[in-house]
Amino acid sequence: MNVQDVKKYWELKGFFVSLRNKLEDWLYNVKSDKLKPSGNAKLKWCYHVVFSQPFEYIIYMLILLNIFPIILELIPVISVKYNQELDIINYIFLMGYLVEAVLKALAMRKAYLFNHWNQFDLFLIILEFTANLQRFFSPVVSILICNFMYVFQLLIPRLIGAVNGQIHKQLSFGYDIGKGYVTGEEHISKIIDHISDDKCISKKLTDILEGNRQQAVKEIGLLQRDYPETAISVKTRHAIRAVLNSDRDAIHALMSEGLLDDIEASKLEKMIEIKMKKLTKFPPTIQAPTAEELLQSLPWLNQDSNQKVAKLLFFDFGDTIIEEHDDPQGIHLIVSGMVKMTGGSPDLGGNSPREKTRLTDYRGCGEILGVLNCLTLQPMEMTVTCETSTQTCFIAIDSLFEAFDVFPEFPSLEYSIWRSLAVKISTSIFIEHINYQGWSYHRICCHLARAYLVSVEVNSKFDVYDSGTEDVVVIYGSCDDVASQYSYNAPSLISRTTHQVTRQPCCQTTPPAIPCIRCTPTASIPESTSLLIKPLTSGLVVSVQLWGLFGVQGNTL
């Protein structure tokens, strides 16, 4: 199965798409949108009147009031008794529609006749005048038809909204399938070596899977660019379902430990089932966040500092945002669009250099670029080019370092950025480690949500696993086991048989710390810590960070 087989599920085709295009073509017109006012003072006044909101509201009110005589004419007794009065009322409404048409014609001039909606209005006015003045056929029937058509004007935007709802449901379904396809390709690529013993065949299959994954990510990125509201809705729905599933697993664990009886567990599971069923009616679209909202959602951003220095940058298709081997200039937060990243794997320091592999990937809304390089002052490893028109929030590296000095109190801004980066790196380590194969992504996130960082000085010994420690992950740099002299190069999970490590000096510019993960039932963060991750409390976690398909989305449920 390739991308073309699943792409058909989110391609916009069919009756609803054609109906929407026809209605929008009828309701909106490009030429009138680009129309400029006339130089004549009177015509210019007509232009400003016609394209003002009060005038639009008056016409809508006129159409709504026209509903009442329509209803009265449908009642035979009232229609016969008040026939003359109803005719006068119809003439009044007709004059109102005529005044609207005259003002629009004076404001739009020749463009008036090229607008489909104006053509429809003009047709109704002529039809009603013909029915009332020339009496070619029953005036009651013709007036009713015209009045109904005027009321239908108000229903067309509603009809377009209903059709868009059906289209967004189709897009949501296709987006789900696309994400499932990407996840499946990633899982299969991890077990290729167990399927085939031939290295050539395994390499060929891996290349095919990686090509399919990249193409699928690109297609989904383009879909997210065109319909960001649909992508946000799908990600939010998945996150809510993950939280509910995690709560259900926690209930089962508490039951097995005897902390919940059957009645209490049954009530809790019933509440979860109710919330699960509500997800079937989850809205297919959620309004896309603005640049300010994306900045506020960053877990490490200080509201009083970096938001003021952040700049909104715009890039066209094909522009280069970051060049490989260049010095870091700052941090980019993608607000909209999609970028392509090509280059080597990130350099996480260490005395033993790792084999550099060339990577190609795509990133979209919510992804942060250049964080690690700004913290370590190392050259950029990847070239970032725009696949579409892209908008980013840019924080210059000088402004970032100034903020480090302004906010040194624990947890400092630098600490918060390192912690956010360490959690993201540790998540991938836990997913790939054999000891955590049975853990879900949400469970790993909950495990890391209570984590913190500590400093490890060069040439100093550090006790890794104490009485309450569960896991330690080296995020940047390297350290050696004091007993076995085994080296741990980032990113790696330190074995639980290791009790003490020492950090050796590195030729590269590195922060004076080793990021690690520790788990204790209860703990507090010491003020001197810098780069060690440690869960603070035990119990249920009620929030989840949306990393999304293209990186940190920054939403919290």
Side-chain angles (χ1 to χ4, degrees):
M1 178 181 290
N2 54 30
V3 179
Q4 299 302 324
D5 296 329
V6 296
K7 185 179 177 180
K8 60 183 180 182
Y9 290 102
W10 65 75
E11 286 183 336
L12 294 181
K13 295 180 181 179
F15 169 74
F16 289 109
V17 178
S18 301
L19 179 60
R20 184 192 64 177
N21 294 337
K22 291 293 184 182
L23 292 175
E24 288 183 347
D25 183 59
W26 193 13
L27 185 62
Y28 308 111
N29 186 271
V30 177
K31 293 184 178 180
S32 62
D33 294 339
K34 296 181 179 180
L35 182 66
K36 296 181 180 180
S38 172
N40 185 280
K42 295 182 179 179
L43 297 181
K44 189 175 183 179
W45 177 84
C46 292
Y47 177 88
H48 291 297
V49 169
V50 167
F51 292 101
S52 63
Q53 285 191 348
F55 181 81
E56 184 178 356
Y57 292 153
I58 290 174
I59 298 301
Y60 283 159
M61 187 62 65
L62 186 67
I63 296 175
L64 289 175
L65 292 175
N66 200 8
I67 296 177
F68 295 101
I70 293 177
I71 297 175
L72 295 177
E73 288 183 356
L74 294 176
I75 303 175
V77 178
I78 299 179
S79 177
V80 173
K81 185 176 180 179
Y82 300 99
N83 183 44
Q84 186 175 1
E85 288 82 356
L86 290 174
D87 288 343
I88 295 175
I89 293 175
N90 285 327
Y91 279 121
I92 294 175
F93 281 108
L94 180 60
M95 294 304 298
Y97 297 140
L98 183 60
V99 170
E100 176 200 8
V102 171
L103 289 176
K104 282 188 175 182
L106 292 175
M108 301 175 65
R109 303 182 301 282
K110 293 181 180 180
Y112 177 82
L113 296 176
F114 294 99
N115 186 288
H116 299 307
W117 194 248
N118 293 335
Q119 294 172 1
F120 178 67
D121 285 343
L122 193 60
F123 168 75
L124 292 181
I125 292 174
I126 295 175
L127 180 63
E128 193 160 351
F129 263 114
T130 303
N132 283 278
L133 299 179
Q134 298 184 5
R135 307 289 181 179
F136 285 149
F137 48 86
S138 175
V140 176
V141 175
S142 63
I143 291 174
L144 281 175
I145 293 174
C146 293
N147 290 339
F148 272 122
M149 297 301 288
Y150 277 119
V151 174
F152 182 68
Q153 293 182 7
L154 294 180
L155 300 180
I156 288 184
R158 297 281 185 179
L159 184 59
I160 293 176
V163 173
N164 281 332
Q166 295 296 324
I167 293 175
H168 285 302
K169 287 182 180 179
Q170 175 187 348
L171 291 173
S172 178
F173 178 69
Y175 194 88
D176 273 332
I177 293 178
K179 288 192 66 176
Y181 179 81
V182 172
T183 304
E185 294 292 301
E186 291 175 349
H187 287 328
I188 294 175
S189 62
K190 294 178 181 179
I191 61 174
I192 285 295
D193 294 336
H194 301 284
I195 297 176
S196 175
D197 295 332
D198 193 325
K199 293 185 178 180
C200 294
I201 296 177
S202 299
K203 180 67 167 57
K204 186 175 181 181
L205 291 176
T206 303
D207 293 341
I208 294 174
L209 291 172
E210 180 62 21
N212 289 338
R213 188 196 68 83
Q214 291 181 10
Q215 188 177 359
V217 169
K218 181 179 179 180
E219 293 293 339
I220 294 177
L222 295 175
L223 178 63
Q224 182 177 357
R225 176 205 63 180
D226 297 333
Y227 302 94
E229 300 87 358
T230 301
I232 294 174
S233 174
V234 173
K235 292 180 180 180
T236 305
R237 187 173 69 251
H238 287 177
I240 295 174
R241 184 177 289 111
V243 172
L244 295 176
N245 288 330
S246 177
D247 291 343
R248 181 185 293 158
D249 295 339
I251 292 172
H252 294 163
L254 293 175
M255 284 182 62
S256 63
E257 296 173 2
L259 300 177
L260 280 178
D261 57 27
D262 294 339
I263 298 177
E264 293 173 337
S266 177
K267 290 181 179 179
L268 291 174
E269 287 186 342
K270 186 176 180 180
M271 294 175 61
I272 292 177
E273 288 296 332
I274 293 174
K275 295 182 182 297
M276 281 285 193
K277 291 180 180 179
K278 289 183 178 180
L279 286 180
T280 59
K281 299 181 180 180
F282 196 78
T285 59
I286 295 179
Q287 185 64 35
T290 61
E292 293 76 10
E293 292 172 343
L294 280 176
L295 281 173
Q296 292 174 1
S297 65
L298 293 179
W300 48 264
L301 181 65
N302 189 291
Q303 304 297 326
D304 299 326
S305 59
N306 290 354
Q307 280 198 25
K308 297 179 181 179
V309 299
K311 299 178 181 179
L312 202 58
L313 303 181
F314 298 89
F315 301 92
D316 291 330
F317 169 75
D319 288 352
T320 300
I321 300 178
I322 298 174
E323 189 71 38
E324 190 176 1
H325 305 305
D326 283 354
D327 293 333
Q329 301 297 321
I331 297 175
H332 289 271
L333 171 63
I334 301 178
V335 178
S336 63
M338 185 177 66
V339 299
K340 180 180 181 180
M341 302 174 61
T342 56
S345 56
D347 185 3
L348 297 178
N351 293 323
S352 301
R354 297 198 174 194
E355 181 182 355
K356 286 285 186 177
T357 57
R358 302 296 294 181
L359 302 175
T360 301
D361 209 345
Y362 297 90
R363 294 290 185 267
C365 177
E367 181 66 24
I368 306 175
L369 308 174
V371 178
L372 179 62
N373 301 87
C374 287
L375 293 174
T376 61
L377 297 178
Q378 292 185 355
M380 306 301 297
E381 294 92 359
M382 305 193 79
T383 298
V384 181
T385 56
C386 297
E387 287 291 304
T388 64
S389 297
T390 305
Q391 183 180 6
T392 68
C393 276
F394 177 71
I395 301 177
I397 189 171
D398 294 337
S399 301
L400 189 64
F401 287 162
E402 290 177 4
F404 289 168
D405 298 331
V406 174
F407 300 95
E409 296 82 6
F410 184 84
S412 64
L413 177 61
E414 184 177 8
Y415 169 88
S416 300
I417 297 177
W418 265 111
R419 185 189 180 279
S420 177
L421 185 63
V423 168
K424 185 176 182 180
I425 297 174
S426 301
T427 302
S428 60
I429 295 298
F430 275 77
I431 291 176
E432 297 176 358
H433 200 275
I434 189 172
N435 292 342
Y436 300 93
Q437 290 298 311
W439 285 36
S440 64
Y441 175 80
H442 180 67
R443 184 179 178 184
I444 294 175
C445 290
C446 292
H447 185 63
L448 297 176
R450 302 167 292 154
Y452 70 87
L453 311 171
V454 298
S455 299
V456 179
E457 300 297 335
V458 178
N459 294 326
S460 63
K461 295 180 180 180
F462 176 71
D463 294 329
V464 180
Y465 288 98
D466 55 26
S467 58
T469 303
E470 292 186 6
D471 301 291
V472 179
V473 178
V474 181
I475 302 301
Y476 192 90
S478 63
C479 61
D480 297 336
D481 187 342
V482 174
S484 64
Q485 297 300 315
Y486 180 81
S487 295
Y488 294 98
N489 292 297
S492 61
L493 178 65
I494 297 180
S495 173
R496 295 184 181 181
T497 59
T498 300
H499 300 288
Q500 196 175 56
V501 296
T502 179
R503 182 186 176 192
Q504 301 296 334
C506 181
C507 59
Q508 302 182 36
T509 302
T510 60
I514 297 177
C516 307
I517 296 180
R518 278 188 168 183
C519 297
T520 56
T522 57
S524 60
I525 302 179
E527 293 185 0
S528 61
T529 60
S530 173
L531 285 180
L532 183 80
I533 306 179
K534 186 174 186 178
L536 299 181
T537 59
S538 59
L540 295 177
V541 179
V542 295
S543 65
V544 59
Q545 183 69 37
L546 296 186
W547 295 96
L549 180 62
F550 301 100
V552 179
Q553 193 65 32
N555 299 326
T556 300
L557 302 178

